[in-house]
Amino acid sequence: TRGTVRKFKVWRGDAQGGSLEDFEVEVNEGEVVLDIIHRLQATQAPDLAVRWNCKAGKCGSCSMEINGKPRLGCMTRMASFEPDEVVTVTPLRTFPVIRDLVTDVSFNYEKARETPAFAPPPGVPGRDYRMQQVDVERSQEFRKCIECFLCQNTCHVVRDHEENKEAFAGPRYFIRAAELDMHPLDVRTDRKEYAQNEQGLGFCNITKCCTEVCPEHIKITDNGIIPMKERVVDRRFDPIVFLGRKIFRR
Ligand code: SF4
Ligand code: F3S
Ligand code: FES
């Protein structure tokens, strides 16, 4: 069966500026937004720039905003829209546009680089590392992250606040900290302190928008951020720890 013709608006432009361009394009049963972008490239807009790789929701490349919502283009079914709905596709808003739907996400790589690497106990050879299965499983959820950066793009702390970017690592790197915090062999960095003092955990006011957009359904806020915050608070107000720190500082 032949598909139907649907209306699309796609943002075209570069760092200097741009605008929405109107298209009418064939849509077939079972297709996703990325299929339509590819059809536009093949038929009407050969120079339309888009980043993608797996078309299976696993590489995290095809992040874009579809009708204003941060989504993966390859996992957004055309059937999820009303038959007469105009579908508007724009680049991620939090990161600088390179061209059309492609943004410069290097903010995230910088934050990744700043996060201290996994650091096991000194002097213990790798063959002697032991981990219980229960410890492996605790942080398994966080290792499902595909680094699509949809959570980073959505968080209001940086979405409209360029000035906060330097001091705020963002939800993806809070769950990285939480993951390492749960790792029994990661002993050389206090991840809670680091998150609070260096990653800007205090900026997060638990709006949970990051969790809502995560295509891997990672409970970023409930399982990653909130436990990190609670434990930071615990330590600050635990009189013994507090006293211990005071004495230690002298
Ligand atoms: Fe994407 Fe979820 Fe990872 Fe954020 S936590 S980068 S939304 S997969
Ligand atoms: Fe941002 Fe998520 Fe916190 S959206 S404010 S990091 S709960
Ligand atoms: Fe890989 Fe969409 S193309 S996640």
Side-chain angles (χ1 to χ4, degrees):
T1 56
R2 263 189 61 80
T4 48
V5 172
R6 299 281 305 256
K7 286 193 169 131
F8 254 72
K9 283 181 189 289
V10 182
W11 195 88
R12 307 292 311 273
D14 57 24
Q16 271 64 57
S19 60
L20 290 171
E21 194 174 326
D22 292 307
F23 293 101
E24 294 201 346
V25 55
E26 186 186 320
V27 174
N28 302 296
E29 207 179 319
E31 286 182 334
V32 294
V33 168
L34 185 62
D35 288 315
I36 311 310
I37 303 285
H38 285 162
R39 181 162 300 121
L40 288 175
Q41 285 180 327
T43 56
Q44 308 175 43
D47 62 340
L48 172 59
V50 63
R51 190 186 279 125
W52 70 285
N53 196 301
C54 70
K55 218 184 151 256
K58 286 296 160 206
C59 73
S61 305
C62 66
S63 299
M64 52 184 76
E65 302 202 357
I66 303 170
N67 288 355
K69 294 206 181 90
R71 309 285 299 268
L72 294 179
C74 74
M75 296 303 281
T76 306
R77 300 205 160 271
M78 286 304 299
S80 66
F81 303 105
E82 297 300 320
D84 54 355
E85 195 175 348
V86 180
V87 177
T88 303
V89 187
T90 50
L92 297 179
R93 190 164 102 193
T94 303
F95 310 120
V97 169
I98 297 174
R99 194 157 66 85
D100 302 338
L101 301 177
V102 177
T103 54
D104 175 359
V105 294
S106 54
F107 163 78
N108 302 287
Y109 304 133
E110 281 157 31
K111 297 298 169 181
R113 225 175 283 124
E114 286 169 11
T115 302
F118 166 71
V124 181
R127 65 170 185 275
D128 290 339
Y129 295 170
R130 291 285 184 277
M131 244 176 118
Q132 303 290 325
Q133 188 60 29
V134 62
D135 288 323
V136 175
E137 278 157 15
R138 273 178 81 207
S139 59
Q140 178 60 30
E141 176 186 17
F142 303 136
R143 288 193 294 277
K144 290 193 309 185
C145 174
I146 58 171
E147 304 218 294
C148 63
F149 307 131
L150 288 177
C151 59
Q152 301 283 92
N153 172 63
T154 304
C155 178
H156 68 97
V157 174
V158 285
R159 188 167 169 90
D160 291 307
H161 298 279
E162 192 64 35
E163 71 280 9
N164 287 342
K165 280 186 175 171
E166 199 181 321
F168 187 72
R172 192 274 167 268
Y173 300 100
F174 297 148
I175 63 164
R176 175 70 178 145
E179 179 196 333
L180 290 167
D181 189 50
M182 291 175 185
H183 198 304
L185 290 169
D186 181 74
V187 295
R188 286 194 255 173
T189 306
D190 184 326
R191 302 287 168 180
K192 303 162 196 103
E193 291 289 336
Y194 187 82
Q196 190 68 29
N197 299 338
E198 308 295 332
Q199 291 186 304
L201 186 66
F203 278 88
C204 163
N205 51 1
I206 325 188
T207 57
K208 303 198 186 189
C209 316
C210 50
T211 304
E212 273 166 36
V213 297
C214 177
E216 286 292 315
H217 306 292
I218 300 170
K219 296 214 167 52
I220 302 172
T221 325
D222 286 353
N223 295 349
I225 293 173
I226 291 175
M228 293 283 287
K229 277 181 176 277
E230 279 170 356
R231 280 171 290 178
V232 169
V233 172
D234 278 355
R235 291 179 160 210
R236 294 236 165 116
F237 295 99
D238 179 327
I240 308 271
V241 173
F242 180 73
L243 198 66
R245 280 206 195 146
K246 286 266 181 191
I247 292 165
F248 187 73
R249 271 203 207 114
R250 270 190 218 141

